[in-house]
Every structure is written in structure tokens, then in C-alpha cells.
Amino acid sequence: MPMLAPPIPTTWRLTLPHSAAAVPIARAMVRCAMQDLRATADRTTAQLLTAELVANAVKHTRGTDPIELVVERGPEGCQVEVHDGDPTLVKGLGAPLPVEGLGAPVPAMAATGPAPATTEGGHLADGRHPAQQGEGTGTADDRTGRGCAYGRGLLLIRALSAASGCRPTPHGKAVWFTLPELRRPRRR
């Protein structure tokens, strides 16, 4: 009687600690999960984007809520989800940004609110250049972490993934991205 090979798993789930330790654990686990699932998507990109999602979950959710990492291999590629207990959906994810070619500028995320007043020389009223807007001013944007750097992680996720998004779950939300499977070279 021939032995049947065990089926290849299609999903990994892991509960992460709600601390800074979750980020390196998630990076290592997404790589292991992709290997175990035999996913051919780019593992380095998966690690980078997973670290961003987990860091956001740790930073923006209550310390008692569990964070769950889900890695799933499907027909569209490898999907990575980070679940947390905060029902507030993340905005700024969706269709990936168009990439026109190597070295092409990446479009910036839309700014919200009125533009700051500038002087005749193009500087802000306090003497800084507009590019320094989020630096060291003690503005509300700095206190909330929504200065110049806000949204860059989401920009990375949109630019490097085939798809991304956020959906409500019964216990909060899941933020996810998908990386396409890469063709493996044929062995001769």
C-alpha cells in the first residue's frame, strides 16, 4: 500500500506578545511560515512589511489586546495578516501604487488640512523650510506622531505588495498585504 504524503499546510497562525519583542518574532516567523507553506513570494519583502504592520499594531493598540499573525498561501500568492483588538480601520491601504520604472519618484500621500503659512522666501513663519514641518516644533502633529514620517509604512506596503487592505473582524481588525508567488527556475 503506497504511503500518502501529508498535505502541504496552507495557513499559519501565531499569537504575538503586545510589546516591541513582537516585531523581531514576527519577522522570523513569517519567514519560517513561508518556508513551511512552500510559498515562493519574496521573503525579504514579506519580513519588511510584516514588521511594519506588527509595529503599528503594537504602537496603536491597547497593551492588553493580543496581536495575531496569520500567513496564508493561496492561489493569488502569499497573504500576511496582522489582527489586533482595535476596531478602528486603517486608511491609506488599497490598490498598490503604480511604479513607472526604476528610480521613478514615488507619489506622496495626500496631506490633510490647510497648508502652513509661508513667508516670501518660501519658509514657514517660524523660519523652517516646509520640508522640516514635522521637526521639533511641539505641534499637535508631533505629539501624535503624525508629522512628516506618518504614513510612510503604509506607503511601503502599498508600493511593495500586490494588494493590501484592512477589514473588520469580530474582535477588532485585520490589516493585510499579498505578495505574488515567484516562478521557480526549472531544474535540469
Side-chain angles (χ1 to χ4, degrees):
M1 183 164 171
M3 287 188 68
L4 297 175
I8 298 171
T10 58
T11 305
W12 260 51
R13 293 182 176 275
L14 178 71
T15 300
L16 299 168
H18 198 286
S19 70
V23 176
I25 292 169
R27 285 179 66 93
M29 296 308 349
V30 77
R31 188 170 199 88
C32 290
M34 289 176 71
Q35 183 174 344
D36 187 52
L37 298 171
R38 298 184 185 162
T40 61
D42 183 0
R43 292 178 186 160
T44 302
T45 301
Q47 286 180 292
L48 172 69
L49 301 184
T50 299
E52 184 61 39
L53 291 184
V54 171
N56 284 346
V58 168
K59 181 177 180 180
H60 298 292
T61 62
R62 297 183 309 273
T64 58
D65 291 338
I67 297 171
E68 184 179 35
L69 174 66
V70 179
V71 182
E72 184 171 15
R73 183 174 157 232
E76 299 300 315
C78 185
Q79 183 164 308
V80 177
E81 296 183 349
V82 175
H83 295 239
D84 64 51
D86 184 351
T88 307
L89 297 180
V90 176
K91 294 179 181 164
L93 292 174
L97 295 173
V99 178
E100 294 184 20
L102 242 42
V106 177
M109 295 186 70
T112 58
T118 58
T119 64
E120 287 181 26
H123 286 78
L124 298 172
D126 64 4
R128 291 174 298 128
H129 189 275
Q132 298 170 314
Q133 182 177 344
E135 296 177 13
T137 61
T139 64
D141 284 349
D142 291 333
R143 289 189 302 272
T144 61
R146 295 180 186 235
C148 286
Y150 181 73
R152 287 189 183 157
L154 299 181
L155 186 63
L156 261 177
I157 291 164
R158 288 183 62 206
L160 297 177
S161 67
S164 62
C166 183
R167 63 181 169 77
T169 65
H171 303 289
K173 70 175 170 298
V175 185
W176 58 271
F177 65 86
T178 302
L179 295 176
E181 292 292 310
L182 303 175
R183 291 186 178 186
R184 292 183 179 169
R186 295 184 126 200
R187 293 184 181 176
R188 291 185 179 201

